[in-house]
């Protein structure tokens, strides 16, 4: 079984266990928070920095001891992050929904739930925790399932960061987004990391950008290790970059984010 298949199967098992404790209906009716707009934040002039909170990764293992995710999130925000991504996957990234809830309640920028989302239950978990958006990985979902989760996110008042890895997945993303009837600009990311081999291809965003849905807010994900990588993503047309390891392992996370923000230039794709 591939890493992605295993991670999705594990996610489904967690949903089954969680739903035994809190039924879906109770989760939906359990109250929510107002969420800020991810698409608006990332479409602002320049290239937005999405700074990620993650303790580990399947490719590197342990990355950082994060005893206080709120303090880290506030440092990211002070450094100028346009949004914050919070890993909630426990087995491979050592994240929790508690992290998401704490961070969403402490910062004013949009917060993304990053996990292997395979069920509507997880959409409402994200909403209940205060997220503004959640990650949907095209490679993990059939086109009908992707469309259903986009619609569920819309019902929950959440945006989605729709993640692709190649032109074929970009086409499927376009099809699902076009059929979903959402009114806000879609947010589509290109992950430079292959979820089967876990290898990073720094040129993947540039190779896929022309295949992304017209008008989408675009995000270059993975492989960002400094200002030069941000500038390369900007030159390729990215509206934003998502960076995790570089900032979570930095001695001064606030300064690390600020250095990335200072490297950005206006992206023509975010212009009217």
């Amino acid at each position: 079984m591939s890493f992605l298949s295993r991670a999705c199967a594990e996610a489904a098992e967690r949903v089954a266990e969680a739903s035994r404790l809190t039924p879906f209906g109770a989760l939906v009716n359990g109250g929510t928070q107002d969420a800020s707009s991810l698409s608006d934040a990332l479409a602002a002039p320049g290239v937005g920095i999405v700074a990620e909170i993650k303790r580990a990764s399947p490719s590197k293992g342990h990355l950082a001891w994060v005893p206080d995710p709120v303090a880290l999130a506030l440092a990211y925000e002070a450094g100028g992050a346009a949004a914050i991504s919070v890993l909630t996957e426990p087995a491979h990234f050592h994240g929790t929904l508690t992290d998401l809830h704490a961070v969403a309640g402490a910062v004013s920028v949009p917060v993304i739930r990053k996990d292997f989302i395979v069920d509507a239950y997880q959409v409402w978990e994200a909403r209940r925790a205060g997220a503004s958006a959640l990650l949907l990985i095209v490679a993990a979902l059939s086109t009908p399932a992707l469309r259903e989760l986009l619609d569920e996110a819309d019902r929950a008042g959440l945006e989605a960061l729709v993640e692709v890895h190649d032109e074929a997945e970009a086409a499927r993303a376009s099809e699902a987004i076009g059929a979903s009837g959402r009114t806000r600009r879609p947010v589509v990311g290109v992950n430079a990391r292959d979820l089967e081999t876990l290898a990073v291809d720094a040129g993947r965003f540039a190779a896929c950008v022309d295949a992304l849905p017209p008008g989408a807010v675009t995000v270059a994900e993975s492989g960002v290790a400094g200002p030069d990588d941000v500038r390369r993503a900007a030159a390729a047309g990215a509206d934003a970059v998502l960076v995790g390891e570089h900032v979570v392992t930095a001695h001064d996370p606030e300064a690390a984010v600020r250095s990335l923000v200072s490297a950005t230039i206006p992206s023509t794709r975010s212009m009217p």
Side-chain angles (χ1 to χ4, degrees), residues 14-25 27 113 118-126 128 149 152:
R14 288 193 294 275
V15 167
E17 178 62 26
S19 62
R20 283 193 286 270
L21 299 174
T22 305
F24 183 76
L27 184 68
R113 180 187 185 181
V118 296
D119 192 279
Y121 190 94
Q122 295 165 289
V123 175
W124 289 93
E125 281 183 325
R128 194 178 197 185
L149 286 171
E152 196 69 38

Side-chain angles (χ1 to χ4, degrees), residues 92-153:
H92 307 284
F93 295 91
H94 302 174
T96 69
L97 279 166
T98 301
D99 293 341
L100 178 66
H101 185 269
V103 169
V107 301
S108 60
V109 298
V111 177
I112 306 166
R113 180 187 185 181
K114 193 171 182 185
D115 207 320
F116 298 92
I117 305 297
V118 296
D119 192 279
Y121 190 94
Q122 295 165 289
V123 175
W124 289 93
E125 281 183 325
R127 186 67 175 110
R128 194 178 197 185
S132 302
L134 76 170
L135 180 73
L136 295 178
I137 302 172
V138 173
L141 301 164
S142 68
T143 301
L146 175 60
R147 185 168 61 247
E148 289 171 7
L149 286 171
L150 283 168
D151 288 341
E152 196 69 38

